[in-house]
Amino acid sequence: MNRSCTTVLITRAIVLLSACLLSNSTGCAGRSDSGVRMWVTEICETPVFNGDSPFADHDSNDRAIHIQGAINEVVSLALELTGDGAVDLHLSDLTSESGRSLSGCAAVFRMHPVQVRNYPEWHVRNIHPQQRVPFVYDALVPSDAPAGGLPAILKHNESVKVWIDIRIPKGTIPEEYRANIDVLLDGRNVASADIVLTVWPFVLPDRANLEMLVELDPPALFYHHVHEQGVRFKPSQVIGKDPMADVLRGVLASSMRLLHDHRMSPQVPALRPIAKVGEAGHLTVDWSEYDRTLSNFIDGSAYSDRIAPLSWLVPFDQDFPPPPAYDPLSSPTYSRITAEYLGSVAQHFFANDWLSRAIVRLPYAGSPGKRASEAAGHFAYITRRADERLRIVSDLFPQDMAKRGWYRYEALDLSGYVDIWSPLAQFFSENDIRETGATPWMRVDRPPYSGTVEIPGRPVDARVIAWQAKLAGLHAIELSMANNWSLDAGAQGLPQECIDYDPGCFLYPGRPFGLLEPVASVRLKRLRRGMQDLAYLELLESRKRGFIAATITDSLVSNVGSAVYETSFLDAQLPPWNANDSAWEHARQLMADQLLTTLDGDPNDPAQQLPASLRWRNFIDETRDVSCDVIGVRVNPTVGLLGGTIGVDVLTRIHNRKRLPIVGHLGFGPLPVGWSTDSTEGVAVQVEPGESRPVTLSAKASGLTWDENGVRRIPLRLSLDDDQPILCEARLCHITPQQLSDPILVDGVLDDWPTAVGNHASDFRLICGSVPGENLAHKDHSRNATHFFAAVDEDTLLFAVKCDTDLRESDVVSNVVPGISPDGIPYAGEMVEILLDPANTGTRIPSDLYRIVVGPAGATWEKGITTYPPVGPTERWPAAIRHACKWQQGAWTAEIEVPLDAFPESTGHARVWGLNVTRYDLGNQEYATWSATLGNAFNPETMGNITVP
């Protein structure tokens, strides 16, 4: 089964257990509605099933969920319980036949949902709407919490979801352990099942060769957990004389331990020492309260495993030491005070044997630009002068982004100052950082540049983060803040409120559930799963199975950061990692197979070879493939359309994810009548492993025809040596404006448009394409239809649009026209874009385009595409464009009139322009294009065609 379940993770197994089959004999007697039904909704670590389900046939005595895990690993599963009444779950200790017990190693949580109200632009660009899960079961409340735990009071057909963590501690004897799950309804035991845990005879390392740094915000922790006489407590620091100091430290400590237990490295740079400027103008720093609160976390003694962090962000930012009211970069006094403070940091950390892990983050990083570069250079110089032993990390990046399409980018040179570059993944380039001699870190960003912990992400999008770090050879990666919660008056800290405020927070306040500490999220569990995967990989390497680790890593993750760029830094591939959850579980089992054979197993034993070979085959089938993506279909404007032949170029990109090179030919399928090509076999193709290659097919046609949507479908065939051919389809999009004999009134009403043939564009396709891994090309349509019409008279081009919608006029904010996000998606607003390329020279530069945006909120137009950071020049387009829009039942319509002389590139007659039309459907949060381009609608190569007579 391969569908998303309500836990947002791909369902590994769904099994219905009737209460009568798994109940005590008294549990079902007398009441048909008293039973509880139970499903296994997710098993994160691949279980060993008896047959096709985790439960055996009804006449078997083995009704158990089988799970496997290594020593020093946490394995997880989730159950869904449905009943009518007070539903509870009891889990016994895990016990082996030899009498050994894993007492207290299981933790049970009730899962609470949050609603995803808005999907970010990266999600719209990369993920199909069918993969959206509007209600995500994410908040994990301990079952014994005073509120929000178990039992759950359910009504008929309601359900509660339960998450179970099973920790396999060091010292566990490798054997089989069994625990009993009892389900209670109104206090009576009505259903039961067993969990059977097989402990593998190898130990995962405590620390993988990666730190996953995550910051905590102390004021948010205190505000949402500590009340003093009914008033919320929001100190920025912990002061020893404060009567609530011990409570504050307790909340902070429990939060730090929660993250540490999930293999994170928690950081609190917002907690600061006491700094004062004396009468002589010099700084004195009192570290006593800082040490009292944090010293045992810096040295690791606060944690049960005594593992200290390798990196510690010292308290230093644009607010501390407090800057002057004027420009701090131009203040000699502030520079001196800053140097004195950093000198105190170095002395204090050295005295406590912490200096090797002290990291100074350069302040005023903000967004990349001249101001950030100047600030970075200024404070890097001060830090070096204060103490050369302090390691400096910058959130900026060293490479020249002008080479990657950033228009007028001013390169940054901090040679000799920055020890660690930690840019957002979008700007992360491992090679460029290593060339400077610095250490590469990376800040988690968004797909396709990195995985994400944001709530709209897919199940593997958090798990993949550790794997990407492995692929890039990183020793540290930085997550977003774990508890970015609202501090507004009246904020209650409910999970939904937290997600609405920041969809990337992955801790929730515990106070709504009666707890004086935060509660975890499912996304935090996924982060831990990724870190445990990394421990598997490193254990393989330590046992001389590095080639296996590399093969598995390369199969699941192909690129990270700037390696996903196509034409520019704003034009990236779809997420370069496998989205199939089962592939990741196969990977874990394959790693375990290899580790087991390094012990006392015989790799030549057929009993061991067969299951492993089948798993390898399934894994390769899921991860190693070849695909052919169509970039665009261009009608060649250099060949005459009147009385001659027409050139058609089909631009494709072939991706080879296999371990070996592919060799073959890409050619056309059956061509339309009147079409011809120079080679019936096609174009020779050779693509190396892990690479992509653009391939262009050319044909000639005596004439063009298209359907009622302005589309001609062209079959393509990629024939590979020793493999099955790959069939795909190109989409030639073409319209011709209707010649007008009578004028059209630009009033937004389309009644006066005469009937015509060939001037209509429709059948828009989603920018994210079809559901990955499935042959669902028919499902990449947008849900609401969009119709585009074109007409022309002697002096003007006229366009009309009709957009079906579920919105009402009151749903659209007036006088607001959306811009373009850094992901190339319009900011949330109901609109249609008309993109025109009169020159049609085949460049990939968006500055060649004319853009007209029209919607119920208004209209705007420009030459070039305005984005930040810019990908090319833009200029004001002083065209005398007229437009009008009207609402009607279930749709809105618009008309646009553009003078032909507004396009100085358009000269002569019978010319072909590039044309694309896009639609952002606000109600469904979908972005679709007529040309069916994937990912980037602003590349002129991806456009359709319009013949302007």
Side-chain angles (χ1 to χ4, degrees):
M1 185 171 292
N2 188 23
R3 65 175 181 86
S4 294
C5 67
T6 51
T7 62
V8 198
L9 295 172
I10 301 299
T11 302
R12 299 295 301 132
I14 300 180
V15 180
L16 172 63
L17 302 180
S18 76
C20 290
L21 289 172
L22 292 178
S23 68
N24 296 327
S25 59
T26 58
C28 286
R31 285 181 57 189
S32 62
D33 62 346
S34 65
V36 170
R37 296 180 296 173
M38 176 164 54
W39 289 263
V40 177
T41 59
E42 171 204 359
I43 296 187
C44 299
E45 289 70 34
T46 305
V48 178
F49 293 154
N50 290 332
D52 294 330
S53 77
F55 296 92
D57 295 335
H58 298 157
D59 57 355
S60 169
N61 292 323
D62 185 14
R63 298 166 182 154
I65 307 168
H66 290 255
I67 303 177
Q68 298 169 316
I71 301 167
N72 202 30
E73 182 177 15
V74 180
V75 293
S76 306
L77 63 94
L79 304 175
E80 180 177 354
L81 311 175
T82 299
D84 187 359
V87 176
D88 203 350
L89 180 145
H90 288 175
L91 179 65
S92 68
D93 286 339
L94 286 152
T95 305
S96 69
E97 288 187 0
S98 63
R100 296 185 179 92
S101 177
L102 302 182
S103 178
C105 291
V108 179
F109 306 88
R110 178 176 173 180
M111 304 174 71
H112 287 258
V114 293
Q115 183 179 6
V116 183
R117 306 185 197 274
N118 294 293
Y119 293 92
E121 288 80 17
W122 64 260
H123 189 287
V124 172
R125 183 185 190 275
N126 296 295
I127 299 178
H128 196 281
Q130 282 191 328
Q131 294 181 302
R132 294 176 180 173
V133 181
F135 289 92
V136 179
Y137 280 79
D138 189 60
L140 299 176
V141 179
S143 61
D144 58 354
L150 295 176
I153 309 302
L154 305 179
K155 297 179 181 179
H156 186 59
N157 290 330
E158 288 184 336
S159 63
V160 61
K161 295 178 177 59
V162 178
W163 183 281
I164 301 175
D165 270 352
I166 300 175
R167 184 177 299 274
I168 307 172
K170 287 183 179 179
T172 300
I173 301 300
E175 55 183 329
E176 189 175 275
Y177 296 80
R178 184 178 292 261
N180 180 253
I181 300 175
D182 288 325
V183 181
L184 283 72
L185 179 65
D186 295 329
R188 294 176 295 108
N189 188 352
V190 295
S192 63
D194 284 347
I195 294 177
V196 177
L197 170 67
T198 301
V199 177
W200 286 321
F202 54 85
V203 183
L204 292 190
D206 286 319
R207 190 206 301 272
N209 193 25
L210 172 71
E211 273 198 304
M212 197 168 279
L213 280 71
V214 54
E215 290 188 30
L216 281 167
D217 179 32
L221 279 176
F222 302 152
Y223 182 75
H224 285 284
H225 290 98
V226 183
H227 289 186
E228 184 180 23
Q229 297 179 350
V231 177
R232 299 239 178 172
F233 206 62
K234 190 173 61 174
S236 59
Q237 306 298 317
V238 179
I239 307 299
K241 295 180 181 179
D242 194 301
M244 301 294 289
D246 288 343
V247 177
L248 298 175
R249 290 194 187 97
V251 173
L252 179 64
S254 61
S255 306
M256 299 281 283
R257 293 187 181 106
L258 175 62
L259 292 171
H260 181 86
D261 288 346
H262 286 79
R263 293 184 175 243
M264 305 290 106
S265 180
Q267 308 282 316
V268 280
L271 285 184
R272 305 158 179 165
I274 300 172
K276 296 179 181 180
V277 178
E279 293 182 0
H282 291 282
L283 188 74
T284 60
V285 184
D286 181 356
W287 290 93
S288 58
E289 294 299 334
Y290 182 90
D291 291 351
R292 185 176 292 113
T293 302
L294 294 175
S295 61
N296 54 352
F297 294 104
I298 301 174
D299 64 23
S301 61
Y303 302 124
S304 59
D305 56 14
R306 305 293 180 184
I307 297 177
L310 297 176
S311 305
W312 187 261
L313 296 173
V314 304
F316 176 55
D317 55 32
Q318 52 262 40
D319 298 319
F320 187 80
Y326 51 91
D327 183 9
L329 272 65
S330 63
S331 170
T333 300
Y334 180 63
S335 296
R336 177 178 53 78
I337 290 174
T338 300
E340 290 177 355
Y341 169 69
L342 291 173
S344 174
V345 169
Q347 293 173 13
H348 184 73
F349 275 60
F350 177 77
N352 286 279
D353 199 24
W354 302 336
L355 188 59
S356 62
R357 66 194 65 151
I359 305 292
V360 176
R361 185 188 299 282
L362 297 179
Y364 295 97
S367 56
K370 184 177 181 180
R371 169 69 174 176
S373 299
E374 291 176 349
H378 177 78
F379 287 103
Y381 174 78
I382 291 174
T383 306
R384 278 285 180 265
R385 291 290 300 271
D387 196 303
E388 291 187 350
R389 297 173 297 177
L390 291 170
R391 287 191 294 164
I392 299 173
V393 60
S394 173
D395 293 347
L396 302 176
F397 42 84
Q399 68 268 24
D400 183 0
M401 292 301 296
K403 299 177 181 179
R404 293 167 168 85
W406 189 322
Y407 183 62
R408 291 183 174 175
Y409 177 79
E410 296 184 14
L412 171 69
D413 183 10
L414 290 177
S415 303
Y417 285 117
V418 174
D419 300 296
I420 301 166
W421 293 100
S422 185
L424 280 171
Q426 182 179 8
F427 306 110
F428 170 78
S429 172
E430 178 194 356
N431 291 336
D432 286 313
I433 293 174
R434 293 196 189 278
E435 284 178 3
T436 69
T439 299
W441 287 7
M442 188 179 77
R443 290 161 60 206
V444 171
D445 195 356
R446 64 199 191 278
Y449 310 104
S450 75
T452 181
V453 292
E454 289 193 15
I455 196 73
R458 297 168 301 180
V460 301
D461 288 347
R463 184 174 185 171
V464 73
I465 292 171
W467 290 75
Q468 289 181 308
K470 178 67 174 177
L471 185 71
L474 302 180
H475 296 301
I477 199 164
E478 295 188 90
L479 297 169
S480 58
M481 187 172 290
N483 66 318
N484 185 24
W485 306 325
S486 172
L487 298 179
D488 294 341
Q492 299 300 307
L494 296 169
Q496 185 65 55
E497 180 184 81
C498 295
I499 288 301
D500 289 343
Y501 186 77
D502 178 10
C505 69
F506 50 92
L507 294 182
Y508 296 103
R511 191 172 186 91
F513 309 106
L515 302 172
L516 201 60
E517 60 188 21
V519 299
S521 66
V522 171
R523 289 165 295 136
L524 179 59
K525 306 294 182 183
R526 293 178 188 152
L527 289 170
R528 179 185 64 195
R529 179 66 265 163
M531 291 294 282
Q532 291 183 152
D533 292 342
L534 195 59
Y536 272 87
L537 291 169
E538 294 182 0
L539 196 56
L540 279 172
E541 291 172 339
S542 70
R543 299 189 179 184
K544 300 182 180 181
R545 293 291 191 275
F547 65 97
I548 297 292
T551 298
I552 292 174
T553 302
D554 293 344
S555 298
L556 291 173
V557 187
S558 59
N559 282 314
V560 59
S562 63
V564 307
Y565 294 167
E566 291 280 1
T567 59
S568 75
F569 72 99
L570 288 180
D571 180 18
Q573 305 168 17
L574 297 179
W577 56 87
N578 195 293
N580 187 348
D581 203 53
S582 65
W584 296 80
E585 295 310 323
H586 284 138
R588 176 179 176 271
Q589 184 65 55
L590 287 169
M591 291 189 289
D593 290 341
Q594 290 296 318
L595 290 169
L596 291 171
T597 60
T598 65
L599 299 173
D600 56 357
D602 180 3
N604 297 316
D605 182 357
Q608 294 187 22
Q609 284 185 329
L610 182 59
S613 63
L614 291 175
R615 279 191 283 269
W616 269 112
R617 182 177 300 176
N618 290 336
F619 181 70
I620 294 301
D621 288 344
E622 290 174 320
T623 60
R624 296 291 186 175
D625 63 354
V626 176
S627 64
C628 179
D629 294 337
V630 177
I631 298 171
V633 182
R634 315 298 301 124
V635 174
N636 194 331
T638 64
V639 180
L641 290 175
L642 301 178
T645 59
I646 303 166
V648 178
D649 293 329
V650 179
L651 286 66
T652 71
R653 183 174 293 276
I654 297 174
H655 306 273
N656 178 18
R657 302 178 187 88
K658 291 181 176 291
R659 296 285 294 173
L660 298 173
I662 59 169
V663 178
H665 289 81
L666 177 66
F668 290 104
L671 289 172
V673 175
W675 286 49
S676 64
T677 183
D678 292 338
S679 172
T680 57
E681 190 176 38
V683 177
V685 171
Q686 180 170 344
V687 187
E688 295 302 310
E691 294 187 0
S692 300
R693 179 187 167 187
V695 178
T696 299
L697 289 178
S698 297
K700 294 180 180 179
S702 58
L704 291 180
T705 58
W706 50 89
D707 63 18
E708 68 278 6
N709 299 310
V711 176
R712 156 69 74 176
R713 290 166 175 80
I714 306 172
L716 306 180
R717 179 186 180 95
L718 177 59
S719 301
L720 301 176
D721 296 351
D722 302 324
D723 209 343
Q724 293 293 321
I726 297 172
L727 304 180
C728 58
E729 184 180 83
R731 210 175 129 97
L732 191 162
C733 295
H734 189 280
I735 62 171
T736 299
Q738 177 188 8
Q739 291 272 9
L740 293 175
S741 56
D742 297 315
I744 288 176
L745 181 63
V746 180
D747 58 359
V749 179
L750 310 188
D751 295 347
D752 53 350
W753 278 68
T755 303
V757 175
N759 75 328
H760 172 226
S762 188
D763 188 30
F764 284 41
R765 301 301 179 94
L766 297 172
I767 196 81
C768 58
S770 299
V771 175
E774 298 188 37
N775 185 19
L776 295 174
H778 63 287
K779 291 190 177 181
D780 60 2
H781 297 270
S782 54
R783 276 176 279 190
N784 279 326
T786 304
H787 301 274
F788 175 81
F789 306 90
V792 65
D793 61 20
E794 185 176 350
D795 301 315
T796 58
L797 271 173
L798 292 103
F799 304 120
V801 295
K802 178 179 182 292
C803 300
D804 294 347
T805 182
D806 305 318
L807 299 174
R808 299 164 298 179
E809 187 171 3
S810 58
D811 295 328
V812 179
V813 179
S814 61
N815 300 320
V816 176
V817 177
I820 296 297
S821 77
D823 296 294
I825 303 294
Y827 291 114
E830 179 72 22
M831 45 72 63
V832 163
E833 292 170 300
I834 303 168
L835 303 170
L836 293 159
D837 183 10
N840 205 8
T841 57
T843 69
R844 308 170 87 180
I845 304 172
S847 57
D848 290 345
L849 301 181
Y850 291 86
R851 178 176 182 249
I852 303 171
V853 182
V854 63
T860 190
W861 46 91
E862 64 180 345
K863 174 68 162 58
I865 307 296
T866 299
T867 62
Y868 183 80
V871 290
T874 59
E875 57 187 82
R876 181 175 174 271
W877 182 22
I881 295 176
R882 296 196 301 143
H883 62 91
C885 180
K886 291 290 184 182
W887 278 91
Q888 53 184 275
Q889 184 66 33
W892 61 271
T893 57
E895 292 176 303
I896 306 99
E897 181 186 83
V898 189
L900 281 170
D901 61 12
F903 305 99
E905 302 93 334
S906 61
T907 58
H909 298 282
R911 51 198 178 270
V912 178
W913 294 8
L915 167 71
N916 201 3
V917 186
T918 78
R919 161 84 184 282
Y920 189 89
D921 180 351
L922 178 61
N924 290 309
Q925 298 182 62
E926 293 178 349
Y927 186 53
T929 75
W930 173 52
S931 71
T933 183
L934 296 178
N936 178 18
F938 305 108
N939 177 0
E941 286 186 334
T942 68
M943 304 182 78
N945 307 269
I946 179 171
T947 299
V948 182

